[in-house]
Amino acid sequence: MSDTALPQVVIVGAGPAGIRAAEALVAAGIRPLMIDEGSRAGGQIYRQPPDERQRSKKSLYGFEAGKAAALHARFAQLLPSIDYRPDTLVWNCTPGQLDLLHAQRHVEQPYTHLILCTGALDRVMPFPGWILPGVYTLGAAQVALKAQACVLNGRMVIAGSGPLLYLLAYQYVKAGANVVAVLDTARLHDKLRGFPSLLRQPVTLAKGLYFIAWLRSKGIRLLDSVQAIAASGDQQISRLRWQRHGKTTDIDCDALATGFGLRSETQLADLAGCEFAFDTLNQQWLPTSDADGRSSVEGIYLAGDGHGIAGADAAELSGRAAALALLQDLQPSRFGTGDALATQAQLRQARASNIRFRQGLETTFPTPVHWARHCPDETIICRCEEITAGQLRHSVAQDGTREINRLKALTRVGMGRCQGRVCGAAAAEILSHASQQEVAAVGRLRGQAPIKPIPVSVALAALAQGNPNHAKDGQE
Ligand SMILES: Cc1cc2nc3c(=O)[nH]c(=O)nc-3n(C[C@H](O)[C@H](O)[C@H](O)COP(=O)(O)OP(=O)(O)OC[C@H]3O[C@@H](n4cnc5c(N)ncnc54)[C@H](O)[C@@H]3O)c2cc1C
């Protein structure tokens, strides 16, 4: 690449997608800037603990230890050829510029090209008692284990939907935790329906079946078809109630890890002005892209779970594909021909197969969205602003609210620290049900900067530096 054509390529996210994107760019002679709010590369699945809490790759990643080791080693090789900035949050994205938070300071970062590999977070469903101390998401429970080498204390229940349920239970029991039950909301009927699609990836399926058999062999109570869970306790959770086949059961417990699949982290794509469409597989509004990750905004590319959940292997493929697309757009004569095109076609095919498997997982572990629709009026939906399901329904009945941003303006749902990342999905389900519309019809919560909490001093510094785009972001 000639010096005059040097682009400033920024990759946000040092997970599987970001690392493979960096690898492809470095191979083409580009030195990308890679930013991650975490301290170490690897993303969610291959998260690395700090030096003082190191454990063997086998105990951290189980069956995926080989893949984790390969990705970490590749990243170490890439380090001299990339500009890596860990512990740095990208909190805003405007045309040609990112706003960063690093060491409590504001930094402006220009870019010509951006690859967003921002990953996902747990999908949360509200139920009575879900905000009690002692109730965690599956992801948070796993982060405690991987990053802090500790498990949730006491008698623990794991409940929700999705394959992470059994993986976490396996990892926790192996680490010595006292897991007393795994409560799966999926029905046997769902599992039988999804099974044929899961045969597309027999090795992954075999691992899942192994976790279940192993947990059974340890005497862990595994139940499917669980409905209507409710946590209770004075200072923190001490009891969990659920229904199954019409029967109510209670169990004493000290901790609950709960989750219902994952949701893509799309806020930066939103602030960058990318087009969005409602995706029925992910039950979420996602930034649109072509098969190689080109977004609707020139120079912005999307990869990994941040533009639809497809798993870590697919994230690696899409990271590479997005980088190749970027290279093609930069230098069509060099990268738009022969081998590069063939590689891209292979990547597309492999990723499509991963997505078909994902469809099977959705059938096997459907998200119980009716939990949000029918949750009791007094259940808190937005924990930042303490907004209940009843307040949302009241707004629909009283004000005729039919659109999610209007609901936000009237009730403050999704206006707090999480900016709707946690409560947005449930609020949309409640609005859709109460206003008798499809969930896609209630619209999408518009992103606002800062996408995650930042110190006021940093926001003021950003305003003082006078990026004209900050004025329209509107928040303190
Ligand atoms: C909590 C959690 C646990 C998971 N555990 C497993 C597991 O055990 N097994 C499994 O198969 N799958 C797991 N998954 C799914 C798996 O993580 C993904 O399929 C895979 O990691 C996707 O890779 P990715 O590169 O797209 O994103 P990730 O691996 O999620 O990487 C995204 C990276 O982007 C960074 N980032 C995001 N936004 C910003 C920002 N604004 N500024 C700076 N940095 C940012 C994050 O810090 C992160 O390092 C988990 C997902 C989650 C959310």
Side-chain angles (χ1 to χ4, degrees), residues 12-19 35-38 40-47 64 88-91 117-122 137-140 142-143 146 164 167 171 262-263 265 267-268 303-307 309-313 315-316 318 451-452:
V12 184
I19 293 174
I35 303 173
D36 199 298
E37 64 179 316
R40 307 194 70 175
Q44 296 291 3
I45 178 170
Y46 306 132
R47 180 182 289 277
E64 312 308 328
T88 305
L89 171 73
V90 182
W91 60 267
C117 307
T118 46
L121 82 166
D122 291 273
T137 62
L138 297 180
Q142 204 191 43
V143 170
K146 283 187 187 166
L164 200 51
L167 172 63
Q171 291 171 329
L262 300 173
R263 277 173 67 76
E265 289 275 51
Q267 299 79 12
L268 292 179
D305 274 1
H307 78 132
I309 309 300
D313 293 350
E316 290 191 39
S318 70
I451 60 166
K452 289 184 186 173

Side-chain angles (χ1 to χ4, degrees), residues 187-224:
R187 300 161 303 172
L188 181 60
H189 169 74
D190 302 318
K191 294 184 176 165
L192 293 176
R193 256 184 351 120
F195 193 77
S197 316
L198 301 187
L199 288 169
R200 285 175 189 283
Q201 288 190 14
V203 176
T204 312
L205 174 62
K207 284 180 203 164
L209 294 175
Y210 172 80
F211 294 146
I212 292 172
W214 188 88
L215 289 165
R216 279 198 202 290
S217 77
K218 299 289 170 203
I220 313 288
R221 190 175 184 184
L222 305 185
L223 297 177
D224 60 20

